[in-house]
Amino acid sequence: MAQPLELRAHALQCLLEPDPGTKTALIAALAQAHLAAGWVVDNGAVFEVTRPIPGRPERPLLVPPRLVGRRSMVTVEGRAMLVHSLAHIEFNAMNLALDALWRFPDLPAAYYTDWLRVAKEEAYHFSMLAEHLQVLGYQYGDFPAHDSLWEMVEKTKGDVVARMALVPRTLEARGLDAIPPLRAKIAQAGDMAAAAILDIILRDEVGHVEIGNRWYRYLCDQRGLDPQTAYAELALRYEAPVLKGPFNIEARRRAGFTEAELAVFS
């Protein structure tokens, strides 16, 4: 009898794939196959990685955030630059979901299937944005991009508590605040197709941040940590960015932030 397929090992293979189109197809196939066959999760497996993480294409050129360029909504190129920046965020987001899935052992099976769901949805977001870029006459990789999101993924690779605290519920949660004004700006410019994509992304990101919040609290409970005190310590230790408003309080509430946490943003 054939051995059952193992989810974390296949997630790592998706993460190592450098071509964005192939990566998104592999993630979709992995999610579908897992749903159909119920692959096993070996939460004690240890993997040897000999290739760079994450797999990524040669372009876009990665530069400091200040060098990414201004994104005027007056021109097609300016709108394409904005869509490109969003596509790069989603490319990093699907990689971070795959990294959360394969990297951290000894967690409940639901943790791994939650992050598989996130990877599938982030890959879908990237595909929509990349296709819209083509409609605008550009390709993913045509503009420079910054890598701030992945830098925090790399910083927190040694501690799953820090990862949950500082990536989904900090950096990704900023998307809950940023998407509504971006959506208004791009809709005002007349690009209703891009605005509709942002509606889908905002809807899904609420769920992704909720997953981060839920597993962060689970891990704090397992380690006997107070979530708010631990968060402040982790943010200082890992030099997380200081969050600035305005904040999307309702979306953050739906994403699982407590009223005590939300009071800090008021």
Side-chain angles (χ1 to χ4, degrees):
M1 181 179 295
Q3 291 296 313
L5 296 170
E6 201 282 316
L7 182 61
R8 292 175 62 216
H10 282 76
L12 176 57
Q13 293 307 307
C14 292
L15 180 61
L16 294 172
E17 170 56 48
D19 179 72
T22 303
K23 188 190 293 279
T24 56
L26 287 173
I27 292 170
L30 175 61
Q32 181 59 39
H34 179 66
L35 181 65
W39 291 10
V40 299
V41 176
D42 183 352
N43 66 359
V46 177
F47 303 97
E48 181 180 358
V49 183
T50 58
R51 291 157 56 192
I53 292 178
R56 64 170 86 221
E58 292 183 3
R59 301 169 63 238
L61 175 68
L62 300 178
V63 299
R66 60 186 174 81
L67 298 180
V68 169
R70 301 184 64 181
R71 304 158 189 160
S72 168
M73 295 297 98
V74 176
T75 65
V76 173
E77 182 183 37
R79 294 197 296 276
M81 289 176 68
L82 175 58
V83 172
H84 186 277
S85 70
L86 294 168
H88 185 66
I89 290 170
E90 298 301 316
F91 181 77
N92 273 333
M94 64 175 160
N95 281 329
L96 77 85
L98 292 168
D99 194 80
L101 204 170
W102 85 267
R103 183 177 295 279
F104 300 109
D106 303 323
L107 289 161
Y111 167 89
Y112 302 105
T113 53
D114 273 348
W115 285 105
L116 177 60
R117 169 195 153 190
V118 175
K120 176 185 175 183
E121 292 177 354
E122 302 289 21
Y124 176 55
H125 299 166
F126 173 81
S127 295
M128 287 191 294
L129 291 164
E131 289 171 8
H132 191 60
L133 261 181
Q134 293 178 4
V135 172
L136 297 174
Y138 296 88
Q139 303 282 337
Y140 177 61
D142 283 351
F143 301 103
H146 69 80
D147 221 27
S148 298
L149 179 57
W150 188 261
E151 288 169 4
M152 185 58 77
V153 174
E154 182 67 21
K155 278 184 181 181
T156 56
K157 66 183 181 182
D159 183 359
V160 66
V161 177
R163 174 68 63 83
M164 294 298 108
L166 302 177
V167 177
R169 70 190 308 270
T170 299
L171 297 184
E172 286 196 281
R174 289 299 289 149
L176 305 181
D177 309 320
I179 289 174
L182 285 178
R183 197 257 187 220
K185 184 185 295 186
I186 207 160
Q188 186 176 28
D191 193 338
M192 299 312 297
I197 293 171
L198 287 176
D199 288 337
I200 294 170
I201 292 174
L202 179 60
R203 178 200 68 196
D204 292 346
E205 290 300 332
V206 169
H208 301 172
V209 176
E210 188 277 331
I211 286 170
N213 267 321
R214 179 156 36 86
W215 287 108
Y216 172 68
R217 293 199 180 92
Y218 168 86
L219 290 160
C220 284
D221 184 62
Q222 293 292 302
R223 297 189 187 186
L225 302 173
D226 174 74
Q228 283 190 266
T229 302
Y231 178 80
E233 293 172 352
L234 290 166
L236 183 63
R237 185 188 314 162
Y238 289 90
E239 300 178 322
V242 177
L243 301 182
K244 298 178 181 179
F247 298 103
N248 189 342
I249 297 297
E250 180 52 36
R252 284 176 174 269
R253 181 176 286 116
R254 287 187 283 117
F257 286 95
T258 66
E259 294 304 315
E261 289 169 330
L262 292 172
V264 176
F265 301 129
S266 301

